[in-house]
Amino acid sequence: MMAQYLALKAEAGDCLLFYRMGDFFELFFEDAKVASAVLDIALTARGEHEGEKIPMCGVPAHAAVGYLERLIKAGHRVAIADQTESPAEAKKRGGSKALVARAIIRVVTAGTLTEEALLDARTANWCVAIGEAAGGVAVAAADVSTGRFELVETDAGGLSAELARLSGAEVLACEGSAFVQHATAERPRGEFDSTAAETRLKRVYGVATLDGFGQMSRAGLAAAGGLVAYLEHTAKGALPFLRAPRIASAAQSMAIDAATRDSLELTQTQTGQRKGSLLDAIDRTVTGAGARLLAADVGAPLMDRAAIEARLDLVQRLHDDGALRESLRATLRSLPDIGRAIGRIAAGRGSPRDLGQLRDGLDGAWLLGERIDGLAAPPPLLQEIVPRLRGHGALIDLLKRALVLTPPIDASDGGYIAEGYDSALDDLRDVGAGGRRAIAALEAEYRARTGTTALKIRHNGVLGYHVEVPARAADALMAPESGFTHRQTLAGVVRFNAPELHELAMEVTQAGSHALAAEAAHLEELTAAALASREAIAATADALARLDVSAGLAERAAEDGWARPALVDHACFEVEAGRHPVVEEAVKRSGERFVANDCVLSENNRLWLVTGPNMGGKSTFLRQNALIAVLAQAGSFVPATRAKLGLVDRLFSRVGASDNLARGRSTFMVEMVETAAILAQATPQSFVILDEVGRGTSTYDGLAIAWAVVEAIHEDNRCRCLFATHYHELTRLAERCDALTLHHVRAREWKGDLVLLHEVADGPADRSYGIAVARLAGMPPAAVSRAKAVLAKLEAGRAKTGGLAAGLDDLPLFAAAVEAEEEQCDAIRREVETLDIDALTPRDALEVLYRLKTLAREA
């Protein structure tokens, strides 16, 4: 046995090996030590290997899913080695000492789960692969629980943004990849070969050409091929359900890098929790599929104005018709998750209950489609959805006739095929039921004959049906003329067999086994019928999810009076009474009122410089406007009374930062890296929010950096930008930058106390109120008094010297400064280019060096 185990362990590689032994999955050696620590189960020992005791632990096979969940969450992968024959088959094959054959039937990994118990119903579970070829980069992603398959063409710069959007449970890259730092696992390079990948995909989809899926680059083929190869490896050849790949370009959605997603907390907070994120604040979906689709929409806001308007039209219709919305949501709430049910069935891990979910879900979708089809003037997206809700009549009828009302999860005990579906099966059940009634009558007869009222006829897997009596009453049945044959003596009871019981037992057992075989055959037929329609079933699941998302967004908009955004083709951002959806909910729970604020950005007023005290609401104001842009392009109403927006191609947020010690970066370094990315990538169609740039270094350095960043955004990037700062010296830029305007969050001191009004007003703040905020925070009075005295001295010095920004008025603007620098460099270049080096004497060469040095000093 140990030789068999070691061979399977070698095949499993770095996975923990679950080795099936009877009713348990056993783990040995280092696997046992790891599993016992994670699962908190006893570590024992069994036999010896190379003179050492073999560490061992095990888990019951019937409860394996719960243990797998804990191991997967702990970051492990598990190979399942199950018995591929019964002990009886092994004995027949190789004699009484033959070892039962075992094989690895599946590798369980975080990105390839289908079991309900192992998945979050409201979160997609992506397995992602990075492909590289011909200088290009692409990302392939599959959620095997639903069959969704995406292929996104990107580039090296946009890769991290795509990976952040998907937040994959596993990320794969080929060995030696330039992007291996993003991967959770490396796979053989051959699996990512684009030519082999094309062949593999043709085989999987049974097509002669991939042209029907759209244009795939060589990098896209490499990513898709690597992903499919990994899925085949983990499923041991039984590839899970994969729909036709949906090919997209990164440019089709708003580009949001990882730092911005983290800063804005779009789908999870910075601590990794869903609670407190934008997604949590807007999610009113009533199905798991709807919640997953909403997360995808928020994570990838659209750039196609027509598609956004189509989503908004449907939300508008459901927003305006409250009765329809409530009826729709009530129906959706009652429907099972058919997308994941067909995923489990296609992966070979389906159950009778999954077929029952398909029956109920498809039937509900059909009725919903009938009801919606009667609506007057339906929005275009609704017209597109309705046909996908219907078309499963034959399958629904088959499953209704074949299955009991509530099919079980476990098929091994039967009982899931409805009475009347198969007359032969009904006859077998009748025989079995009649035999069981006869056994009950026989038990009564035996009691009367022996005078033992405690006599019972029982059944177990070893003895089958047998008579059991207390030990004190066994003597009467031991007598030779009693008609009973002794089988087993246990503590307190004695077991017997009898000819009449044996005949009845044979009849019942044979009828039962034949009935189970008949049900298993029907289950196979029903599964095949469902799989024949799996693409159409998945399309119905998508349609139900879109309805749920639209109804949920309409519900959210109705709750707090959100407005439909008006989308335009030019770069503008006009929001009246905008609010932060997450903060507003928190403020409402505390019994207070959120202060709404306007924001109007246009070509001639595209950069707002916002000043004001800490805790005054600057960061909230910046974030709420970024979130409004995300919501609008995701197809949602927005928390405002009116919004008019030009599409945002890239969204950047540099609001707060923390040390990244693992990569050797301080807070200031992280801030500079993020700011550099913004200056390098932002376009005139982008939206940027920046908060306190330059605060992590000396005052002079910080002001200089902030000054340069503001000028660069104004002159070069020319994007819509909200820039919050405590450097009041930056307000001088309003005189030099024609598209920059000054704003502040209002605050007042009243009888020595600071009152934060959270209102955004025009003009610069009169001061920072830093000492007042420190007093609010509980700083000791003596320290506050000392700070006031120091501040008075500093302000007096500033008045005499002109302050930090003394002399900055004489600086040329950003573009002019760059041109001047280039001109100085060009002067040196021109001087060098005119030299005839071969004609220079040593003295001439020395004079040239002095002249170049003078030019360099002047530069």
Side-chain angles (χ1 to χ4, degrees):
M1 187 200 78
M2 194 49 62
Q4 184 189 64
Y5 169 84
L6 292 173
L8 291 169
K9 177 58 184 172
E11 181 183 342
D14 60 355
C15 300
L16 301 178
L17 181 64
F18 268 30
Y19 183 82
R20 183 69 177 262
M21 294 179 65
D23 293 333
F24 279 77
F25 281 113
E26 303 290 358
L27 298 98
F28 300 99
F29 300 105
E30 288 302 313
D31 287 2
K33 295 178 182 178
V34 171
S36 66
V38 173
L39 302 176
D40 193 25
I41 57 179
L43 181 66
T44 60
R46 172 185 178 136
E48 291 187 356
H49 179 70
E50 296 181 350
E52 297 287 335
K53 288 283 188 181
I54 301 173
M56 171 184 175
C57 68
V59 301
H62 71 272
V65 170
Y67 293 102
L68 283 172
E69 178 182 15
R70 293 162 64 183
L71 289 170
I72 296 300
K73 285 183 177 178
H76 298 288
R77 299 189 302 151
V78 181
I80 307 293
D82 210 341
Q83 297 174 179
T84 56
E85 62 180 356
S86 67
E89 290 170 332
K91 185 176 180 180
K92 184 177 180 181
R93 170 178 54 81
S96 59
K97 294 185 178 180
L99 183 65
V100 174
R102 293 175 176 84
I104 295 177
I105 60 168
R106 179 189 176 196
V107 178
V108 184
T109 70
T112 59
L113 303 174
T114 57
E115 292 84 352
E116 280 184 286
L118 303 181
L119 292 170
D120 181 349
R122 304 183 74 79
T123 304
N125 194 59
W126 292 108
C127 187
V128 182
I130 303 168
E132 310 156 67
V137 182
V139 172
D143 181 350
V144 300
S145 69
T146 60
R148 190 171 174 186
F149 190 13
E150 291 188 3
L151 189 59
V152 181
E153 306 285 348
T154 182
D155 54 36
L159 175 63
S160 61
E162 283 303 310
L163 295 178
R165 173 181 71 85
L166 292 163
S167 189
E170 286 185 275
V171 180
L172 314 171
C174 69
E175 294 171 336
S177 167
F179 307 108
V180 72
Q181 74 272 17
H182 297 294
T184 59
E186 293 182 65
R187 300 293 299 165
R189 179 170 289 275
E191 293 182 359
F192 288 80
D193 178 77
S194 60
T195 303
E198 184 173 1
T199 303
R200 183 178 295 117
L201 291 173
K202 288 177 180 177
R203 172 177 55 78
V204 167
Y205 290 104
V207 295
T209 175
L210 300 178
D211 293 346
F213 299 138
Q215 187 62 42
M216 289 191 194
S217 68
R218 303 312 296 180
L221 284 169
L227 180 58
V228 170
Y230 181 70
L231 296 179
E232 288 182 326
H233 163 72
T234 58
K236 293 301 170 186
L239 187 69
F241 179 32
L242 279 185
R243 301 172 66 181
R246 174 182 165 272
I247 301 174
S249 164
Q252 292 176 317
S253 60
M254 181 192 293
I256 310 174
D257 61 29
T260 299
R261 289 178 190 277
D262 191 45
S263 169
L264 295 178
E265 301 182 314
L266 296 183
T267 56
Q268 62 181 22
T269 65
Q270 295 185 22
T271 60
Q273 304 297 313
R274 193 177 193 273
K275 186 70 175 175
S277 67
L278 172 66
L279 178 62
D280 178 64
I282 67 169
D283 188 0
R284 298 297 183 270
T285 57
V286 295
T287 69
R292 298 193 296 269
L293 181 59
L294 178 62
D297 289 350
V298 170
L302 299 175
M303 283 299 296
D304 183 339
R305 182 179 166 188
I308 299 170
E309 294 286 9
R311 289 184 184 178
L312 289 172
D313 286 344
L314 181 51
V315 174
Q316 178 85 61
R317 177 61 179 271
L318 295 172
H319 173 272
D320 296 344
D321 192 337
L324 173 62
R325 181 175 74 248
E326 185 51 43
S327 171
L328 181 63
R329 282 163 58 80
T331 300
L332 289 169
R333 190 179 284 112
S334 67
L335 298 184
D337 193 337
I338 60 174
R340 282 195 164 165
I342 191 63
R344 287 189 293 273
I345 292 170
R349 294 186 279 275
S351 69
R353 192 182 73 165
D354 290 319
L355 289 172
Q357 288 185 339
L358 290 187
R359 173 198 61 196
D360 299 339
L362 295 174
D363 190 38
W366 179 285
L367 296 174
L368 196 57
E370 292 289 300
R371 191 188 320 162
I372 294 173
D373 202 25
L375 294 178
L381 185 54
L382 194 58
Q383 294 179 32
E384 180 186 324
I385 285 173
V386 168
R388 288 187 275 150
L389 296 176
R390 296 180 294 192
H392 304 285
L395 180 61
I396 295 169
D397 178 65
L398 173 63
L399 295 176
K400 278 186 172 181
R401 289 186 295 107
L403 295 172
V404 297
L405 186 62
T406 308
I409 296 177
D410 188 1
S412 61
D413 293 330
Y416 47 85
I417 298 298
E419 186 178 350
Y421 179 70
D422 179 352
S423 58
L425 174 61
D426 292 343
D427 291 341
L428 288 170
R429 286 172 171 170
D430 288 341
V431 170
R436 285 188 292 275
R437 285 193 296 270
I439 287 174
L442 186 61
E443 181 182 74
E445 180 187 334
Y446 285 162
R447 286 177 180 174
R449 187 198 305 174
T450 62
T452 306
T453 56
L455 180 148
K456 292 181 180 178
I457 293 179
R458 295 189 180 279
H459 180 274
N460 65 34
V462 177
L463 299 180
Y465 285 98
H466 58 275
V467 174
E468 183 176 284
V469 297
R472 65 178 181 274
D475 290 344
L477 280 73
M478 287 285 192
E481 67 278 5
S482 67
F484 294 95
T485 305
H486 177 255
R487 293 295 307 276
Q488 192 176 42
T489 299
L490 301 174
V493 297
V494 183
R495 292 170 174 172
F496 298 87
N497 200 358
E500 306 98 316
L501 178 59
H502 179 71
E503 291 176 8
L504 280 175
M506 287 291 292
E507 188 177 321
V508 170
T509 301
Q510 287 178 1
S513 62
H514 291 161
L516 286 175
E519 289 202 69
H522 288 311
L523 180 62
E524 191 173 331
E525 293 166 1
L526 297 174
T527 298
L531 290 178
S533 301
R534 58 185 175 183
E535 290 287 348
I537 292 170
T540 299
D542 288 348
L544 292 170
R546 177 55 64 195
L547 282 175
D548 189 20
V549 167
S550 301
L553 290 175
E555 181 77 9
R556 184 67 184 91
E559 286 176 3
D560 287 318
W562 290 13
R564 174 173 179 164
L567 302 177
V568 295
D569 291 327
H570 58 280
C572 73
F573 193 91
E574 301 176 14
V575 173
E576 289 183 8
R579 290 110 65 196
H580 191 300
V582 181
V583 177
E584 184 179 26
E585 276 199 344
V587 168
K588 190 187 298 183
R589 285 194 297 270
S590 67
E592 299 180 13
R593 182 181 64 87
F594 185 91
V595 179
N597 283 294
D598 298 347
C599 181
V600 181
L601 302 173
S602 62
E603 179 60 31
N604 299 321
N605 180 23
R606 62 179 180 271
L607 200 164
W608 278 25
L609 195 68
V610 184
T611 54
N614 283 313
M615 296 176 61
K618 297 192 302 296
S619 295
T620 297
F621 176 69
L622 266 59
R623 283 189 171 100
Q624 76 186 35
N625 286 293
L627 295 181
I628 284 171
V630 169
L631 288 172
Q633 288 181 226
S636 169
F637 282 25
V638 298
T641 56
R642 187 184 73 85
K644 179 181 175 184
L645 311 174
L647 294 185
V648 173
D649 66 347
R650 292 174 175 267
L651 180 66
F652 294 98
S653 169
R654 224 245 43 90
V655 181
S658 58
D659 290 343
N660 190 334
L661 300 179
R663 299 184 66 180
R665 292 177 176 176
S666 66
T667 301
F668 181 68
M669 183 62 174
V670 171
E671 175 184 309
M672 289 299 98
V673 168
E674 294 174 4
T675 304
I678 293 170
L679 296 182
Q681 299 174 34
T683 74
Q685 284 71 49
S686 299
F687 189 86
V688 175
I689 61 172
L690 290 161
D691 191 12
E692 306 297 348
V693 169
R695 64 183 170 180
T697 185
S698 74
T699 305
Y700 283 101
D701 279 357
L703 174 58
I705 291 169
W707 188 288
V709 169
V710 171
E711 285 192 339
I713 286 176
H714 184 275
E715 297 296 315
D716 283 359
N717 301 106
R718 305 182 69 83
C719 56
R720 292 159 286 180
C721 177
L722 301 176
F723 192 108
T725 185
H726 280 293
Y727 292 125
H728 289 268
E729 293 79 6
L730 294 179
T731 59
R732 297 188 182 185
L733 284 167
E735 302 167 8
R736 303 149 62 80
C737 301
D738 55 5
L740 183 151
T741 55
L742 303 178
H743 306 268
H744 69 281
V745 289
R746 295 181 60 209
R748 290 288 181 270
E749 283 194 275
W750 175 255
K751 296 181 179 180
D753 292 327
L754 180 66
V755 180
L756 301 169
L757 302 176
H758 303 294
E759 294 177 4
V760 177
D762 293 339
D766 54 354
R767 52 200 174 100
S768 290
Y769 299 98
I771 293 177
V773 172
R775 185 170 59 246
L776 271 180
M779 184 177 284
V784 172
S785 298
R786 180 59 177 165
K788 285 182 177 179
V790 173
L791 178 63
K793 280 283 188 181
L794 292 173
E795 288 182 336
R798 181 174 63 186
K800 291 179 182 178
T801 63
L804 285 174
L808 290 182
D809 291 334
D810 299 331
L811 272 177
L813 277 173
F814 183 80
V818 172
E819 288 172 4
E821 184 176 324
E822 289 177 351
E823 185 177 337
Q824 290 160 349
C825 292
D826 285 344
I828 297 173
R829 186 180 293 110
R830 282 195 299 272
E831 181 72 23
V832 172
E833 287 174 349
T834 59
L835 292 176
D836 183 354
I837 295 176
D838 293 333
L840 287 177
T841 66
R843 184 176 183 83
D844 292 338
L846 187 61
E847 288 178 357
V848 167
L849 285 174
Y850 277 118
R851 192 159 60 250
L852 291 175
K853 186 175 181 180
T854 301
L855 287 172
R857 188 182 299 114
E858 291 173 353

